[in-house]
Amino acid sequence: MSKRNRTKKAVLLGLIAVLTLFTAACGNNNAASNSKNGGSGEEETITLNMMHPWTSPNVDNEVYKARIAEFEKQHPNIVIKQDGVPSAQYKTKLRTLAAANNLSDINVVWPGADLAPLVAGSLVEPINHLMENWTSILPEAALSGFNVDGQQYAIPTKQNFVDIIYYNKEMFAQVGYDQFPETYDQFIDAVTKLKAAGITPISLGNKEQWPLQSSYISIIGDRFTGSDFLPAVLEGKAKFTDPEFVKALGVIEELSKLDAFNTDANNMDSVQAQDYFIQGKAAMHISSATVDGRVRINNEEGDKFGIALFPSVEGGRGEPKKSAGVLQYGIAIKSGLDEKKKQAAEEFLKFFVNEDLYKELIRNGVVVPAKVEIPEDASPYLKEMLALTGNGTSPVFDSLIPTQVVDVLQNGLQALMMDHTTPEKLAADVQEALDNMN
């Protein structure tokens, strides 16, 4: 063998030796890494899809999104892929995805009529085995709406009252009312005088359609019919065509004919209507307790605004001090997730809804269903809200009535505002929609 060939052979053998040592070293490192991380080489990233309606600039929505970000920070191997759907479209999308058995891994759900079909279709996972995380801070009343036949399917994040009347104290004083009207007749008198003074009485943004249904009819209906009416309708023991409910719809007709609302009410969304009121362009705005964050708590001019409930109506069967309230934003886990996703979703649920979340919501003036200590730095406006809403709760229309029926009412209320239908006709249409479902 020539000297040149012997040299080539030596170099080749040397390279083989180095590669063998390198491969062995990598193999040992990979073995150690696989052993440490369950054989995956590195910790596996799990992505969970979450659908929620937290798209508007309400203070609680910001708290929720900050909480998601904190979870991802503390759990770097779990990604929460958010699908934010505006509240006006949320329930429709949820229903559509449910019908296709294509829910997100984690979903925001409502109790009662909205939760029932998800449970009937086995689309959401029972979470009884996790309940020790919440039973000490959530009373049974707070959990019952998300409990079906002894199985718990979701945990609520807040208790919302949808019918708060925010009013401009200066404007009401200008027309002779130092206190908010206590009766419907006085309320109509104030509306008439405000209009005569060149002041828009009520700021309304009904482009999304839910405000008139949820914030108005829920409580106006209750004042006329009493709180047993909606459950009785579902049981077939009462009808939407009953005179008391027709009278409630007549209130919307009367306010519309008095030009109580801004002229672009059906083209303005709920947030724009809040701004319209805050900017001093209207004397009243009727919306949820959550809006208090924008109207008063975080507003330098918050003191000029008061809060009230819809007044009593003559001959009404409802309790005039009740407020229309509902437990909201239950967090539910989709059925059928693989074991790793299910564990990650349960970890998220335990982290997301806990005492820290409730305290942060309270700190920002949001009413919660939990038994937690009110933080010292909570807004003084919160105590006023708690006092106003602490005298009994009436049902919110769309928390009890199926979505398909709600849609008919919402479309009809817009038509009623434009004088394209009558209270009697709208009541008949809503009842027909319910009958067709049954």
Side-chain angles (χ1 to χ4, degrees):
M1 180 181 295
S2 69
K3 183 178 179 180
R4 180 181 293 179
N5 288 338
R6 285 198 302 270
T7 300
K8 285 184 177 179
K9 184 176 182 181
V11 171
L12 183 58
L13 289 172
L15 286 172
I16 292 172
V18 170
L19 287 171
T20 302
L21 288 170
F22 180 76
T23 302
C26 287
N28 289 337
N29 286 340
N30 285 339
S33 178
N34 288 344
S35 174
K36 181 178 180 180
N37 297 299
S40 62
E42 59 182 39
E43 195 165 11
E44 180 183 357
T45 298
I46 299 172
T47 299
L48 294 171
N49 297 313
M50 179 179 187
M51 191 169 80
H52 64 67
W54 304 327
T55 59
S56 63
N58 292 344
V59 63
D60 60 323
N61 293 350
E62 302 306 317
V63 172
Y64 297 137
K65 287 185 280 191
R67 192 102 183 117
I68 293 173
E70 182 61 26
F71 175 81
E72 290 183 312
K73 181 179 177 181
Q74 294 189 27
H75 300 78
N77 66 311
I78 302 176
V79 175
I80 306 298
K81 186 178 180 182
Q82 300 179 54
D83 180 13
V85 180
S87 58
Q89 289 88 46
Y90 185 86
K91 289 185 179 181
T92 299
K93 183 170 181 177
L94 184 69
R95 190 170 74 244
T96 301
L97 292 175
N101 193 19
N102 194 29
L103 289 181
S104 295
D105 302 322
I106 303 169
N107 299 274
V108 170
V109 298
W110 276 256
D114 293 296
L115 180 64
L118 302 180
V119 173
S122 300
L123 299 175
V124 287
E125 188 78 13
I127 54 173
N128 291 35
H129 61 292
L130 301 176
M131 291 312 297
E132 63 182 17
N133 291 280
W134 302 286
T135 48
S136 63
I137 60 173
L138 286 174
E140 185 177 344
L143 295 168
S144 60
F146 297 100
N147 191 296
V148 180
D149 297 330
Q151 298 289 320
Q152 193 73 32
Y153 290 94
I155 303 297
T157 61
K158 73 172 184 177
Q159 183 168 18
N160 196 18
F161 294 90
V162 301
D163 61 329
I164 307 303
I165 301 179
Y166 299 91
Y167 67 98
N168 188 310
K169 298 175 185 177
E170 297 170 0
M171 290 180 177
F172 268 78
Q174 185 178 330
V175 295
Y177 282 88
D178 293 327
Q179 302 289 332
F180 194 80
E182 294 184 358
T183 68
Y184 182 67
D185 288 343
Q186 291 174 347
F187 177 77
I188 292 299
D189 178 66
V191 166
T192 303
K193 289 177 177 176
L194 287 164
K195 189 69 181 176
I199 300 170
T200 298
I202 305 173
S203 167
L204 171 64
N206 200 51
K207 181 179 180 180
E208 303 148 301
Q209 294 194 325
W210 63 261
L212 276 181
Q213 169 268 127
S214 185
S215 294
Y216 284 70
I217 290 302
S218 290
I219 196 60
I220 296 172
D222 193 81
R223 292 288 187 264
F224 281 95
T225 68
S227 299
D228 295 332
F229 177 73
L230 292 180
V233 168
L234 292 175
E235 294 173 8
K237 298 177 180 177
K239 290 183 178 293
F240 287 120
T241 50
D242 289 354
E244 292 78 16
F245 189 73
V246 174
K247 288 178 184 177
L249 295 176
V251 170
I252 304 301
E253 181 182 51
E254 181 172 15
L255 292 174
S256 298
K257 288 184 176 179
L258 289 172
D259 293 327
F261 306 117
N262 42 296
T263 56
D264 54 350
N266 280 331
N267 296 315
M268 181 183 288
D269 67 30
S270 55
V271 176
Q272 290 172 320
Q274 295 167 28
D275 292 335
Y276 196 88
F277 170 73
I278 292 169
Q279 292 163 7
K281 297 177 180 178
M284 285 178 278
H285 178 67
I286 305 178
S287 190
S288 75
T290 302
V291 174
D292 206 25
R294 298 194 75 216
V295 175
R296 302 193 304 166
I297 296 172
N298 300 318
N299 183 1
E300 292 181 358
E301 297 184 300
D303 286 342
K304 75 179 182 183
F305 301 120
I307 56 174
L309 298 178
F310 199 83
S312 63
V313 298
E314 185 176 356
R317 297 179 180 179
E319 168 55 54
K321 291 186 177 181
K322 279 188 174 182
S323 180
V326 63
L327 292 162
Q328 281 191 331
Y329 298 160
I331 311 299
I333 299 172
K334 177 184 177 181
S335 294
L337 297 180
D338 65 47
E339 195 58 34
K340 289 181 180 179
K341 275 198 168 189
K342 181 180 177 182
Q343 288 180 3
E346 290 180 352
E347 191 65 30
F348 173 80
L349 182 57
K350 290 186 290 185
F351 177 93
F352 186 81
V353 189
N354 68 5
E355 191 168 347
D356 291 340
L357 172 71
Y358 291 129
K359 285 185 175 180
E360 185 63 20
L361 289 170
I362 291 172
R363 191 173 286 114
N364 284 278
V366 178
V367 180
V368 302
K371 298 180 294 183
V372 296
E373 186 177 346
I374 297 178
E376 292 183 5
D377 57 348
S379 168
Y381 290 123
L382 177 65
K383 293 182 179 179
E384 186 182 7
M385 184 67 72
L386 292 172
L388 183 70
T389 57
N391 301 303
T393 303
S394 62
V396 175
F397 193 94
D398 59 3
S399 72
L400 287 184
I401 304 303
T403 306
Q404 297 91 322
V405 181
V406 171
D407 290 344
V408 173
L409 174 62
Q410 292 184 164
N411 290 329
L413 287 169
Q414 280 196 336
L416 188 61
M417 281 185 64
M418 296 182 289
D419 200 25
H420 291 168
T421 190
T422 65
E424 292 79 10
K425 177 67 166 60
L426 176 53
D429 290 344
V430 176
Q431 184 61 44
E432 182 182 6
L434 182 63
D435 291 342
N436 288 341
M437 285 196 66
N438 295 331

